[in-house]
Amino acid sequence: MIERATIILQKMQQHCGSGVEVDFYPYFFTASFDTLCEASFGVQVDSQLGRSRDWAQDMFRIAPLLTKRLFAPWLHVDYIYEKTNAAKKMKKFSDDFREFSKNVINERRKHFSKNCGNNNDDMNGDIDCPEYLLDAIHNSQEDSIYTYSDTDKIDEAITFMIAGSETTAQTNCFVLLMLAIHPEYQEKVFEEQYTIFGDADTPITPDDLDKMEYLEQVIKETLRFFPVVPIFARHADEDTKLTQNYVLPAGATAVIFPFFTHYDTELWPEPNKFNPDNFTAEKMANRHKYAFIPFSGGARGCIGNKYSMIAMKTTLSIFIRQFRVSTTKNLEDIEVYLDLVLRCKGGWRMKLERRINQKS
Ligand code: HEM
């Protein structure tokens, strides 16, 4: 994570002091994608350094096609959908991405058999061969009633790559945009970083991450304001009593929009005001645990919740200590739209300035 965040700094340095607002997303997406591939699969993809295809561009082209299908019931019929151009584009993307994931899995297998024993099936992880997600899936087979086929493993890899990379990158960009719009919060975040690290450039430790309480409040308030997964759903297998008067009948689909919950005035007194103090320990203790649901909840809630908080804090800590961000936009100027995930119209454009020395 630290390495990837440092590459962001190096690549964005060229924009410092240019006075031009640049879109931060490509820098943060590639970093997030590469980190995820390495953390989950133990494989270096290096899209950040241009050594792999630019999947962010592909995802930008493909997501609107999926969104369109989601809201057009007639396109749910495979027979009709398969005749459309969108379906052909989707298939091409899906085939390419599956091929890419297959290669990632094969890479991991090769690495494991070369460094961790001769047997491809012996993915039992030790200190020299840490167990990554794919290894865990592989190893779980022995105790499991379910056997994972190669197709299953590719599907798992794709789910992780898609679910984990865009969400984290977008949240990082939204956080920086909020800090650009609210310089007073930006300075407070910087002050916290300075208190932890001073002028030292030491690597971040888990203890340091725990101390970044204000940064975490800012991230959470950003996720309240901009829940990057703005819609998810549950299928009721049986009649489910919601309240005294309401029952969700078996077979129904309940669609959940965190936007409604996150802007509910009964839960958030001033929902339209960006206020990191909404997430002080005290305020959180007095609020219903499902008042804040950017990661959904329950058994099928986001599995990457903790990982993403570590990844975001690490990246933002490194970035904020070196750069100051600004924008000509106000909060009211920000327009978002639903594209499976939540996107910012025109991108996440900001100006960048290098802090001359750390405490400036
Ligand atoms: C800011 C970052 C993230 C946000 C806001 C987020 C949010 C969500 C949400 C709302 C869901 C839907 C859960 C549901 O249907 O109830 C989800 C699912 C999922 N997320 Fe995340 N996510 C983030 C990062 C990640 C990361 C980093 C990973 C992987 C390391 C990840 C892996 C997954 C997976 C695998 C699922 C599917 C879970 C399932 O269907 O059982 N997410 N995420």
Side-chain angles (χ1 to χ4, degrees), residues 9-29:
L9 300 186
Q10 288 159 3
K11 298 205 86 167
M12 293 199 79
Q13 171 68 30
Q14 55 172 315
H15 302 298
C16 276
S18 69
V20 178
E21 295 200 336
V22 286
D23 186 6
F24 281 25
Y25 188 67
Y27 299 96
F28 280 81
F29 174 81

Side-chain angles (χ1 to χ4, degrees), residues 90-346:
M90 263 313 295
K91 179 158 182 345
K92 168 94 180 75
F93 173 75
S94 162
D95 289 349
D96 289 355
F97 207 66
R98 295 190 79 77
E99 191 57 33
F100 170 77
S101 308
K102 209 161 106 189
N103 290 338
V104 166
I105 292 174
N106 287 339
E107 261 313 288
R108 177 71 194 139
R109 281 210 179 117
K110 262 194 263 159
H111 169 90
F112 209 96
S113 61
K114 190 167 154 220
N115 301 296
C116 313
N118 298 324
N119 182 356
N120 273 4
D121 292 335
D122 185 24
M123 289 189 168
N124 59 355
D126 59 31
I127 273 204
D128 297 324
C129 306
E131 191 181 61
Y132 291 94
L133 172 82
L134 280 178
D135 312 330
I137 293 175
H138 190 93
N139 289 338
S140 70
Q141 305 213 117
E142 281 185 10
D143 325 318
S144 171
I145 45 166
Y146 184 75
T147 309
Y148 287 92
S149 66
D150 274 1
T151 308
D152 292 334
K153 287 179 197 166
I154 292 173
D155 286 344
E156 289 299 329
I158 290 177
T159 307
F160 258 71
M161 285 181 206
I162 293 184
S165 50
E166 287 212 281
T167 45
T168 309
Q170 278 161 353
T171 308
N172 276 333
C173 291
F174 272 125
V175 167
L176 290 171
L177 193 53
M178 289 303 96
L179 294 180
I181 291 175
H182 303 93
E184 68 283 17
Y185 299 144
Q186 185 170 175
E187 287 319 297
K188 226 175 142 179
V189 169
F190 177 76
E191 283 298 326
E192 183 181 67
Q193 294 297 318
Y194 196 79
T195 310
I196 301 169
F197 298 99
D199 288 318
D201 200 11
T202 46
I204 301 172
T205 65
D207 267 357
D208 297 331
L209 290 176
D210 284 345
K211 289 181 200 149
M212 297 180 194
E213 286 175 13
Y214 193 70
L215 177 58
E216 187 164 325
Q217 282 178 223
V218 171
I219 294 173
K220 286 181 173 160
E221 177 66 349
T222 303
L223 280 166
R224 180 187 73 81
F225 235 71
F226 301 107
V228 290
V229 180
I231 178 170
F232 35 91
R234 289 290 181 278
H235 179 84
D237 284 339
E238 52 193 45
D239 285 358
T240 310
K241 196 170 173 183
L242 297 178
T243 62
Q244 199 60 29
N245 300 324
Y246 294 101
V247 172
L248 192 66
T253 299
V255 179
I256 301 143
F257 292 94
F259 260 115
F260 292 151
T261 319
H262 291 182
Y263 284 79
D264 184 334
T265 45
E266 278 187 30
L267 301 164
W268 312 93
E270 292 181 288
N272 295 318
K273 189 173 165 211
F274 183 86
N275 178 12
D277 284 346
N278 277 327
F279 288 92
T280 57
E282 194 192 349
K283 291 246 179 79
M284 281 176 71
N286 292 324
R287 208 177 286 124
H288 192 283
K289 73 170 178 171
Y290 290 135
F292 177 61
I293 46 168
F295 296 101
S296 179
R300 292 301 294 267
C302 177
I303 198 173
N305 178 347
K306 291 212 169 80
Y307 166 93
S308 67
M309 198 48 93
I310 293 171
M312 291 188 290
K313 278 164 117 179
T314 306
T315 308
L316 290 167
S317 160
I318 290 173
F319 191 88
I320 287 162
R321 277 186 275 151
Q322 299 294 332
F323 293 140
R324 184 182 283 117
V325 286
S326 61
T327 173
T328 47
K329 285 199 190 79
N330 295 314
L331 198 52
E332 301 71 43
D333 302 328
I334 310 287
E335 284 183 62
V336 293
Y337 63 100
L338 174 69
D339 196 10
L340 273 195
V341 282
L342 196 70
R343 295 198 193 277
C344 193
K345 218 169 176 180

